[in-house]
Amino acid sequence: MASDHSGAPARRRGKDAESSSSCSARRWILGLVFLLAACSIARMALVVSDSPDLPPRAEPWDQHEQQEEQRLSSVESQSSSLEKDRRHPEQGMKEKIFLPSPALAQALAQRESLRVIDTIADNGPYHSRRAFLDDYRDMVNTMKVFVYPCSPRDPFSHIFLPTSSAPSGNYASEAYFKKALAGSGMVTDDPSQADLFFMPFSITRLRNDPKVGVGRMPAFVRDYVKNISHRWPYWNRTGGSDHFYVACHSIGKVALEKAQHVKLNAIQVVCSSNYYVQGFIPHKDVAIPQIWPRSESFREIKTIEQRKVLAFFAGGSNSPVRANVVRTWRNDTQIHAYPSRIQGSYAEALLRSKFCLHVKGYEVNTARLGDAFFYGCVPVVIANHYDLPFSSVLNWKSFSVVVTTANIPKLKAILSGISREDYSQMHRLVLDARRHFQWHAPPREYDAFYMVMYQLWLRRHVVRYPLH
């Protein structure tokens, strides 16, 4: 019995040791499990953060908006601080005069443009405002263009490089596009990242160059495209369907006489967008507005009550259509039609008119369309077969009147038949749309440059053969 009792403590100690060893083992196993779980979570976090296939936590446009808000808030704080210093200068210091820098003025104007278009309640002048804004944001975030390079030492560098001065004149849109593109942030030096390829030759400068001129222009363009197709692989990959050039002068048609493959394959961004004439293909090519830059800023627009003249036109009779308009209405008291420049202010004539006539001259396009928007005048388009600029976005029927040349004698009846309520709506939409018919360098949101880029973005999908 004694031996039995004496063995009990030993057995209890053995059980306690076994229990302690078992607990230690369990704790060790649990620790190992937690360690493995922590490592697994860390690896998952590392993969998520490094994986290019997973979407970011915020959409690129959201990040862009947040950065833009911070930048513009800083700009506005700077503006407020400068204004405060001007109003309440410290004792013993000279008063500071607030003169916003060009960068500050541009930032504030850009913010105002974004606010205005986002506050349009309905579709406004657009087919679908929401669809346009969503696509536009994708375009701004993602679109890249490769510009075929040219050395400043090249004897024809002035044909290819942007101008250093502000573009002016009747064909300024061509030069403004190139200048705005250079300052847009959309240019890439890596062709593999490009959505489109820009051939930056200037038709206007080729025309005015004594070494080229109209006669040698077709051979110049032909040889240029041949050179880039031999030096770079990108033209041959798509047959040129992801390449584009810009021309506002009508002589651009002559420039491609020896380069028909460019006319048929590449995207032509042109002012002369006449789809009746062979060479312009609406679903492939892009209509760019012809805009004569005005030196004055957006001036105060007269109300509809202040617009006493029914319609206005002034211009040389360089086409049968213009001659018909002037012949029919030159002596009318409500429609003012002049065969040449008017005596007095052209701007005031537009400002006091309800409707401004855009009448075909040599080509379907003229700068009068841009003038109508600039001065807040409802445009009347008298140009058959004119593929109007930005027509895939803008609902031209909502803010303009399109009249066939056959209905010129009925013009007064057509315009007088528009009710005051309908005219007021059209006038409001003209003011909503006019920001799209202004050029800036560097460009501003929703201006003519970005609208042209949006049209190009819609045409960016092409089949590309692999490069070897």
Side-chain angles (χ1 to χ4, degrees), residues 442-458:
R444 299 178 187 173
E445 293 285 354
Y446 304 108
D447 69 357
F449 168 77
Y450 279 113
M451 292 296 284
V452 172
M453 293 304 294
Y454 180 75
Q455 299 298 310
L456 287 167
W457 187 77
L458 295 176

Side-chain angles (χ1 to χ4, degrees), residues 196 199 235 239-245 256 259-270 275 278-287 387 452 455-462:
L196 294 170
M199 301 177 290
W235 175 278
S241 58
D242 56 357
H243 287 56
F244 71 96
Y245 75 95
L256 298 179
Q260 290 295 316
H261 58 303
V262 177
K263 182 185 297 185
L264 296 176
N265 294 347
I267 303 170
Q268 303 178 104
V269 182
V270 295
Y275 56 83
Q278 183 181 7
F280 181 84
I281 306 172
H283 70 271
K284 175 181 76 70
D285 301 328
V286 174
D387 186 42
V452 172
Q455 299 298 310
L456 287 167
W457 187 77
L458 295 176
R459 291 158 171 79
R460 74 197 185 283
H461 296 294
V462 295

Side-chain angles (χ1 to χ4, degrees), residues 167-325:
S168 61
N170 212 16
Y171 308 109
S173 292
E174 179 183 302
Y176 251 119
F177 175 87
K178 194 184 299 184
K179 196 173 182 70
L181 177 62
S184 68
M186 289 185 165
V187 176
T188 178
D189 293 330
D190 183 358
S192 67
Q193 300 298 318
D195 298 289
L196 294 170
F197 295 78
F198 179 37
M199 301 177 290
F201 54 82
S202 167
I203 295 297
T204 303
R205 291 198 164 194
L206 283 171
R207 175 179 179 267
N208 297 329
D209 191 299
K211 299 187 294 293
V212 183
V214 176
R216 296 185 179 90
M217 194 186 302
F220 185 98
V221 173
R222 177 201 61 199
D223 293 343
Y224 172 76
V225 176
K226 182 178 179 180
N227 287 337
I228 64 170
S229 65
H230 286 176
R231 181 180 175 186
W232 305 83
Y234 306 105
W235 175 278
N236 299 325
R237 178 176 58 173
T238 62
S241 58
D242 56 357
H243 287 56
F244 71 96
Y245 75 95
V246 178
C248 202
H249 201 291
S250 59
I251 206 70
K253 297 175 183 176
V254 176
L256 298 179
E257 285 181 346
K258 295 184 177 181
Q260 290 295 316
H261 58 303
V262 177
K263 182 185 297 185
L264 296 176
N265 294 347
I267 303 170
Q268 303 178 104
V269 182
V270 295
C271 290
S272 303
S273 52
N274 185 342
Y275 56 83
Y276 183 75
V277 177
Q278 183 181 7
F280 181 84
I281 306 172
H283 70 271
K284 175 181 76 70
D285 301 328
V286 174
I288 187 173
Q290 181 176 344
I291 298 171
W292 190 306
R294 299 298 170 184
S295 57
E296 64 266 43
S297 60
F298 273 169
R299 53 192 300 163
E300 183 179 352
I301 299 300
K302 294 185 182 297
T303 64
I304 58 176
E305 289 79 12
Q306 294 173 305
R307 296 176 179 269
K308 305 297 184 183
V309 178
L310 179 62
F312 168 78
F313 170 77
S317 298
N318 56 5
S319 71
V321 180
R322 288 190 180 184
N324 190 5
V325 168

Side-chain angles (χ1 to χ4, degrees), residues 146-152 154 160-161 189 191 198 200 224 228 231-232:
F146 178 77
V147 182
Y148 283 105
C150 175
S151 170
D154 190 295
F160 300 102
L161 299 179
D189 293 330
F198 179 37
Y224 172 76
I228 64 170
R231 181 180 175 186
W232 305 83

